[in-house]
Amino acid sequence: MCGIIGQISNSTKELPLVSIHHRGPDADNIWSGDGVQFGHTRLAIIDLSEGGKQPKSDNSGRYTLTFNGEIYNFKELKESLIDYTFKTQSDTEVILATYSRYGYDCPKYLKGQFAFAIWDNQKKELFVARDRMGEKPFYYSISQNEFYFSSEIRALLKIVNFAPHLRKESLAEYLHLQSVQPPHTLIEGVLQLPVAHYGIFKQGSFEIHPYWNIMDVHKEDYSDIKTIHKNIKEKLANSVRLQMLSDVPLGAFLSGGIDSSAIVALMAEQSEQPIETFSIGFEEAAFDESQFAAIVAKKFNTKHHSIQLKSDDFKNRIPEILSKVDNPSGDGPNTFVVSEAVKKAGLTVALSGLGGDELFAGYDGFLRFYKLQTFKNIWKLSTPFRKIISPLFSGKKGDLLALPTVDIEDFYPLSRRVFSKQEISKLLPDSSFYYQTIGQSEQKKLPILSQYSIAELSGYTQTVLLKDTDQMSMANSLEVRVPFFDYQLIEYVLGVPDSLKLPKYPKSLLVESLQPLLPGEIVHRPKMGFSFPWDEWMRGDLRQYCENNILNLAKRKIFSENELFTIWRNFKSNTNSVKWSKVWLLVCLEQWLKNIGL
């Protein structure tokens, strides 16, 4: 796990490795070729010797690589690459050998989280690739036949040859769904490589191609529920086994929920030593889950660390935590707190239960979407008639009735939205509204619950949760691995029929697949999630911080000043029309603009 940065240009400016030092504090290095510079900061996890350092060239010297991530199946790949003479025990060298043999098809053979760039000194071309789920970021910019890339936007802006400006269309998308879908970002001219894609830059031209499609669900026989349970456990257990590979201390996040408990249970099954687990507890019982984490820790005999936080201490650190953010969202501080605690305990790698809700219908939105399909005939009524009666219903209910359909591409953005289109048009009166459709036409051929899974995995999960997991863990020089996002597990679970996946109780398909591993106290307790009383804090101790950010945002003349102040006044007066999440999205945006120097 590392930070990468590079450029193909005539610039003699040295790459600013210090700006991504937190991603890899163990070593750093710059490689220079003919008009090419690659930089790398290393967080040493696999092959701690000098042989694991980057940037790295293959035996022939033709290919040079800078790589961020981990390749979990590198040992199996290494055994198949018998024509290559390996000199190290690193997964980095395996990528080079795989590319030497398979060329542009290289990413298809890699199982892991990754973003990398390979320079071909013979063809004078650059090959870049990003993992299937977007666990690792890859930002780039093309200007005047020059190509720049980095793991972080802040670092990229230090080497591009233009002054950064906000992209208003992306700003509208950010307000709508608290994130921006690839390939765009909030900065004009700064792009992100789409997930499961590779790109080739040569002679000023950049071509992007997909190498995996989440819609490529394997055609399996789902007639026998016992076989389904067996396959799910085997695939998840195999993913956990591969992701436990590490040459440095490794542990797991343990909230006491079903997903993190499942990962810890499978880790314990495959480890000869007690697993180190970490939970965060709070004095306020309303959002303290430490008692449930303790139950799981005891059952699986883990070496458990329960970190108790006082909400006052956490609140006071919010400005500091948000200053670490490279890409704004309405989430993130939660992940920072856990990552910091794990790192302070001396670990460099932690496994996470992220992904269980998305695959096994754990969110309320799954059931809402499923049940709505029973009433689809309502949306056969004329659109003008539905728009006339929709104001009779408050909030999202009225907006739901006004939708063209309740198909996934129309329903999902409403399900996850923060600001409505009408609210955005008031905040950004000079900007046309835009958001990229999340979904594909082939999606409708899949089970209803799987349609929503794909929307979640392609939307909020990819652009908010995984992005925040990366930036907040790497701010603490910690690698977080996510076993639920093994692509073979994803493909299999997406094919399971609704009749077998529909939860009889929370994530019943997952729980039954792991029987009898998970304790009943964990399975049948109310879902809490790792959250804080933001609403109360923002009207209390964080009020001045929020107000200062809103005032500073207004001075930028990006938004309607009157509308900004109206939102803030209504929130302070506890008006139901303004939820804390809307204000927080604006507060985080202002902090981010300060972070990147705009």
Side-chain angles (χ1 to χ4, degrees), residues 62-94:
R62 174 177 174 178
Y63 304 115
T64 301
L65 165 73
T66 185
F67 156 55
N68 170 29
E70 301 291 346
I71 306 304
Y72 304 131
N73 65 331
F74 82 95
K75 289 189 174 181
E76 290 88 338
L77 274 174
K78 192 173 183 178
E79 291 177 358
S80 68
L81 298 166
I82 56 176
D83 296 333
Y84 190 92
T85 302
F86 288 93
K87 298 178 180 178
T88 75
Q89 301 301 313
S90 70
D91 54 348
T92 302
E93 192 176 18
V94 171

Side-chain angles (χ1 to χ4, degrees), residues 166 171 174-175 186 322-323 325 328-329 545-559 564 583-598:
L166 278 175
L171 197 55
Y174 167 79
L175 294 175
L186 281 166
L322 290 185
S323 72
V325 171
S329 78
Y545 172 71
C546 292
E547 184 160 298
N548 290 343
N549 276 21
I550 295 295
L551 289 171
N552 289 332
L553 191 59
K555 292 176 184 176
R556 295 179 182 276
K557 306 300 182 183
I558 299 169
F559 299 105
L564 268 181
V583 177
W584 190 242
L585 211 58
L586 295 167
V587 169
C588 291
L589 177 66
E590 169 58 25
Q591 180 64 60
W592 174 74
L593 289 168
K594 274 191 276 190
N595 291 351
I596 63 171
L598 278 183

Side-chain angles (χ1 to χ4, degrees), residues 5 14-22 28-30 39-41:
I5 189 169
E14 188 169 287
L15 296 174
L17 294 185
V18 66
S19 60
I20 52 172
H21 177 75
H22 52 278
D28 59 68
N29 193 28
I30 292 176
H40 188 268
T41 60

